[in-house]
Amino acid sequence: MNRYPLWKYLVIAIVLAVGFLYASPNIFGEVPAVQVSPLQPGVKVDPELMSKVEAALAQDGVTSTGGLLDPTGLKMKFADTDTQLKAKDIIQKALGEDYVVALNLLSNAPEWMRSLNILPMYLGLDLRGGVHFLLQVDMNGALSKAAERYVGDVRQLMREKEIRYAGVTRDGSAVQVRYRDEANREKGKAAIEANIPGVTVKSREEGSDFFLVLTLRPETQKSIQDFAVQQNVTTLRNRVNELGVAEPIVQQAGVDRIVVQLPGVQDTTRAKDILGRTATLEIRMVDEEAMQSGIPAAGSEEFTERRRDGTSSKVFVKRQVVVTGERITDAAPTFDQNQRPAVSVSLDSAGGRIMRDLTRENVGKLMAIILFERKNGRDVGEPISVARIQGEFSNRFQITGMFSAEETTKLALLLRAGSLAAPMDFVEERTVGPSLGAENIEKGWKSTLIGFAAIAIFMIIYYMLFGIVSVTALAVNLVLLVSLLSMLQATLTLPGIAAIALTLGMAIDANVLINERIREELRSGTTPQAAIAAGYERAWATILDSNITTLIAGVALFMFGSGPVRGFAVVHCLGILTSMFSAVLVSRAIVNLVYGGRRKLDKVSIGNTDWHKRASAA
C-alpha cells in the first residue's frame, strides 16, 4: 500500500544527487583575485600570458593560490586582500597598457567543479561587497543633442534642395532657420515637413528676416528621452564589461535614473571615473577666419587647446558637427609615425562616407576633434586634436594630441564602449566593503539556521519520527533551493535570504497538514498503513491550492517589481516549487522506506500515544 515503484525512487535519488552536487560549490566561499582582460580584440589570453604573469609575481616574491583561463580573461587567486593589491600593481606593470587589470572575488570551489560548469550562485552587492551608483540622466541635455543633430540635417537638406538660407541656429531644444525672403522660406518649410519627421514647423518674421522655428513634438521628445536612457544603459554595460567586473547590475530606475551595482569591485575610484565620463567625441571643422581675427563668428564656438609644453591656445570651431562618437565602431591605443601615443579610430559605413566627403572637399583645411566630458554638472569640451587635412580618408584615422600612454588607453576604452546619448550626474554613491558583506551573509544565514533549528525542535517533539521525516524533507528543500539558484546563476541578496527563511516556514506547513491528516485518520480508527496513504493523498489538494495562490503572488512581484523585490520573488517562487517536491515526494519516500515494507503495522510514531492505542485496538 505504501510503496513507490523503483523508478520513482530512482528519480528522487537522482534529483537529490544533482541537487547536493550543484549546492556544494557554495560552501567553499570566495577568495581575492586579480582579473586580466584584453583591451584590444587582437590581444590573446593564453597559457603564455599566464606564464608571464606568474613569472612577474614570482620575481617580486608574491605567491598565487591558483590561476585559471576562460573566455573572459585570466584570473589569479590570492590568499588575502593585501597580496591581491600588491599583485595588481605588479601585473599591470608587467603587462603594460594592452590589458585591463581589475580586482575581483572568485569562488574557491575545486577546479573540477568549474570544469563541469558547477558554479556557486552569485551574491549581490549587499552580501559580496562592492559599489552602488545612482546616476541621473540629463533629459534637457538629450533634447539639446537631438536639436544639434537637426541643425546639421536642416543644413544638409537646404543644400540638397538648393534653397537659399541665411543661417541655422539652435535655441535650447528648438532650431531656427533664417531666410532673406518669404519665397525661400516657404520652399524650406515644404522641404522640412516632407523630409524631417517628428518636428513642428512654425513661421515668424523679425524685421526684414523670415524665420522657420522647428520644435520637437511631445511624442518625439519622449522617444528621444527614452532612447537616451536606454542608450546610456547599454553604454554603461559596455563600460562595465571593459572594467572586467563579474555579475554587474545596470538597470533603469524610474524615468530618468540608472542604477549601477558592481559586486566585488574594490577599485571604486576607477569605476566612477570610467562610468562618469561622458567621452562624447565630435569632429568639426575649424573656423580659420575666426582663428586669424581672434574673434569668434556667429556660427563658431571657442575652446581651449592644451599643448605639450604646458601652454594653451584658443581654437575657434564651427558649430556644425560633422561626425559624433555614435559612429565609432572601434578604438585602440597605438603610436603615430613619430612614436607618440595616439588613438586609432574606426567609423561605421555612414560615418566613413561622411568623413570621405568632408576630407575630399576640405584638403588643406584644419579639422578639430573635440572630447566633451561632464564636469561640475555641465559638459566641457576640449580639442584633443587640431590637424590639417592632408588627403582624403574615410572610416579609419588617428587621434593625436597631448596624450600619455595611459590617457590613450582610457580614451580608447571609453570611445570603444560607446558614447552616452545624454550627460549624467552621480546623485548617490554607496560602497559596501567585503567585511560588511561577509557580516551580512553571516547574520542572514545565522537567522535562517536558527529558524530551521527552532522548527526542527518543535516538529521532532510534537510529531516524533514523522517530525524527523519532516525536518529531513525541509533540509532537502533548502539544498534543492540553493542548487536551483546555482544552476540558474541567480543573484542572491539579503531579500533573497529573507525569502529563503520564509520558504522554510511555508514548506513546513505542508508537512504539518500531512501529519495532522494522518492523525485524523488514526483518530477515526483507520489502520496505520491506510492512515498514511490517506493523509498524503487528502492533504495534497490543500497543499496544491495554497502553494498555487502563493506562487501567483510571487509571479506578480516578479513581473511588477524591480531590484530587490524581483530578487525576493525569484527565490520565493523557486522555494515554493522545491517545497512541494520535498514536502510531498521526498517525505513520502522516506515514510515508505520506514513503514511501507511492514505487512502488519500496529502503530506509527507521530505523537499522542492514545491515538496509537486506538488505532491498534481497531
Side-chain angles (χ1 to χ4, degrees):
M1 181 181 292
N2 289 307
R3 294 179 183 178
Y4 274 160
L6 180 61
W7 68 265
K8 189 172 288 190
Y9 284 115
L10 290 176
V11 168
I12 294 174
I14 291 171
V15 170
L16 293 182
V18 172
F20 276 94
L21 181 62
Y22 275 87
S24 58
N26 295 281
I27 66 176
F28 293 99
E30 293 182 316
V31 293
V34 174
Q35 179 169 310
V36 180
S37 306
L39 191 59
Q40 302 180 44
V43 178
K44 294 183 179 180
V45 178
D46 51 21
E48 184 178 345
L49 175 66
M50 179 182 285
S51 300
K52 185 177 180 181
V53 169
E54 289 174 343
L57 293 173
Q59 186 177 355
D60 285 83
V62 176
T63 303
S64 169
T65 59
L68 58 96
L69 287 168
D70 59 26
T72 63
L74 168 66
K75 300 178 178 69
M76 303 297 294
K77 300 178 182 179
F78 299 93
D80 52 65
T81 54
D82 292 336
T83 308
Q84 176 198 32
L85 293 171
K86 185 178 179 181
K88 177 184 178 295
D89 295 334
I90 295 171
I91 295 172
Q92 185 71 76
K93 183 179 178 180
L95 299 182
E97 301 298 335
D98 291 334
Y99 298 87
V100 175
V101 181
L103 302 178
N104 213 327
L105 295 171
L106 295 178
S107 171
N108 200 28
E111 181 58 30
W112 67 268
M113 286 188 173
R114 185 176 184 86
S115 64
L116 295 175
N117 204 33
I118 301 173
L119 305 173
M121 58 185 165
Y122 291 150
L123 297 180
L125 184 71
D126 46 6
L127 300 180
R128 194 180 187 191
V131 63
H132 164 99
F133 296 118
L134 181 63
L135 299 100
Q136 178 88 39
V137 180
D138 184 359
M139 292 303 198
N140 292 328
L143 296 178
S144 297
K145 290 187 70 174
E148 197 66 52
R149 291 195 296 270
Y150 279 113
V151 168
D153 293 344
V154 170
R155 284 199 181 103
Q156 184 176 356
L157 181 63
M158 295 299 103
R159 286 196 297 268
E160 290 176 354
K161 300 297 183 181
E162 297 182 350
I163 301 172
R164 301 186 65 180
Y165 67 102
V168 183
T169 58
R170 178 176 64 85
D171 182 14
S173 60
V175 177
Q176 291 190 132
V177 190
R178 184 163 59 95
Y179 299 89
R180 297 297 186 187
D181 55 75
E182 186 175 1
N184 278 307
R185 183 182 69 176
E186 293 306 313
K187 291 180 182 178
K189 183 176 182 180
I192 290 170
E193 289 178 340
N195 294 277
I196 301 180
V199 296
T200 301
V201 185
K202 294 183 178 180
S203 304
R204 71 176 179 88
E205 291 82 28
E206 188 176 308
S208 60
D209 293 327
F210 297 85
F211 290 88
L212 289 177
V213 181
L214 284 68
T215 55
L216 300 174
R217 294 174 182 169
E219 61 270 19
T220 305
Q221 293 186 24
K222 185 178 186 306
S223 176
I224 290 171
Q225 291 173 338
D226 291 343
F227 171 79
V229 175
Q230 291 302 318
Q231 175 65 25
N232 282 12
V233 167
T234 301
T235 300
L236 288 175
R237 283 180 180 150
N238 291 336
R239 294 185 179 181
V240 167
N241 292 336
E242 295 283 357
L243 280 169
V245 177
E247 309 98 53
I249 295 175
V250 182
Q251 61 187 15
Q252 183 175 348
V255 177
D256 58 355
R257 292 188 172 188
I258 298 174
V259 171
V260 180
Q261 292 185 356
L262 309 176
V265 168
Q266 294 155 297
D267 293 342
T268 55
T269 303
R270 172 175 167 78
K272 187 175 181 180
D273 177 59
I274 295 297
L275 295 176
R277 294 176 64 184
T278 50
T280 303
L281 195 73
E282 293 184 356
I283 299 176
R284 305 188 194 181
M285 293 303 296
V286 175
D287 190 339
E288 297 191 39
E289 293 182 5
M291 292 288 287
Q292 293 176 1
S293 64
I295 302 173
S300 64
E301 284 185 84
E302 178 184 331
F303 295 96
T304 302
E305 180 189 19
R306 294 182 298 160
R307 293 188 179 134
R308 289 181 176 275
D309 57 7
T311 62
S312 61
S313 62
K314 293 181 179 179
V315 177
F316 300 101
V317 299
K318 296 180 180 180
R319 291 183 179 273
Q320 180 180 359
V321 179
V322 180
V323 174
T324 66
E326 296 174 359
R327 300 296 183 187
I328 294 175
T329 59
D330 191 22
T334 185
F335 294 91
D336 62 12
Q337 63 271 18
N338 298 318
Q339 295 304 305
R340 294 177 303 180
V343 178
S344 175
V345 178
S346 298
L347 302 175
D348 60 13
S349 58
R353 187 167 56 251
I354 294 171
M355 288 297 294
R356 184 177 60 250
D357 295 340
L358 174 76
T359 53
R360 182 193 303 131
E361 298 171 3
N362 295 277
V363 173
K365 295 183 179 180
L366 289 172
M367 183 178 70
I369 300 174
I370 303 171
L371 181 70
F372 285 89
E373 295 189 81
R374 191 73 165 175
K375 296 180 180 178
N376 299 323
R378 64 189 184 91
D379 284 337
V380 178
E382 179 184 359
I384 57 176
S385 178
V386 178
R388 200 167 295 278
I389 300 173
Q390 303 295 332
E392 178 184 330
F393 60 86
S394 57
N395 64 331
R396 289 182 179 274
F397 62 93
Q398 283 187 348
I399 302 175
T400 58
M402 200 191 80
F403 296 131
S404 64
E406 183 179 356
E407 287 173 332
T408 59
T409 301
K410 286 185 177 181
L411 178 59
L413 187 155
L414 292 170
L415 297 180
R416 186 170 61 254
S419 62
L420 296 172
M424 294 188 300
D425 294 308
F426 286 89
V427 296
E428 182 183 342
E429 177 184 352
R430 188 168 69 249
T431 302
V432 179
S435 58
L436 181 58
E439 184 180 347
N440 287 338
I441 293 175
E442 182 183 357
K443 289 182 177 179
W445 284 115
K446 186 180 289 184
S447 61
T448 302
L449 293 176
I450 290 174
F452 182 89
I455 292 172
I457 293 170
F458 169 79
M459 292 296 290
I460 292 172
I461 293 175
Y462 198 71
Y463 291 112
M464 302 177 69
L465 181 59
F466 271 78
I468 295 175
V469 172
S470 300
V471 171
T472 303
L474 193 62
V476 168
N477 177 43
L478 181 60
V479 171
L480 292 180
L481 178 55
V482 172
S483 67
L484 272 180
L485 292 173
S486 300
M487 288 181 189
L488 299 174
Q489 290 292 273
T491 300
L492 182 67
T493 60
L494 274 177
I497 292 180
I500 291 176
L502 177 63
T503 298
L504 293 179
M506 294 175 59
I508 204 65
D509 283 348
N511 290 106
V512 170
L513 285 172
I514 293 169
N515 293 344
E516 287 299 326
R517 190 69 190 182
I518 294 173
R519 279 184 164 183
E520 288 180 6
E521 294 296 329
L522 291 171
R523 185 186 302 120
S524 65
T526 307
T527 62
Q529 291 284 15
I532 292 173
Y536 275 97
E537 291 170 3
R538 294 176 182 176
W540 167 243
T542 305
I543 294 170
L544 184 62
D545 289 344
S546 63
N547 279 282
I548 285 178
T549 54
T550 310
L551 187 63
I552 292 172
V555 171
L557 284 176
F558 179 80
M559 291 176 60
F560 301 108
S562 63
V565 175
R566 297 190 75 178
F568 176 91
V570 168
V571 179
H572 178 63
C573 292
L574 292 177
I576 291 172
L577 299 177
T578 57
S579 67
M580 292 177 68
F581 175 82
S582 60
V584 179
L585 291 179
V586 175
S587 67
R588 179 74 183 271
I590 297 173
V591 171
N592 288 352
L593 290 173
V594 174
Y595 291 116
R598 303 183 188 182
R599 294 186 177 182
K600 185 177 181 181
L601 183 63
D602 295 330
K603 63 179 182 178
V604 291
S605 178
I606 196 170
N608 197 332
T609 54
D610 289 340
W611 295 349
H612 300 164
K613 293 175 182 178
R614 292 178 186 177
S616 60

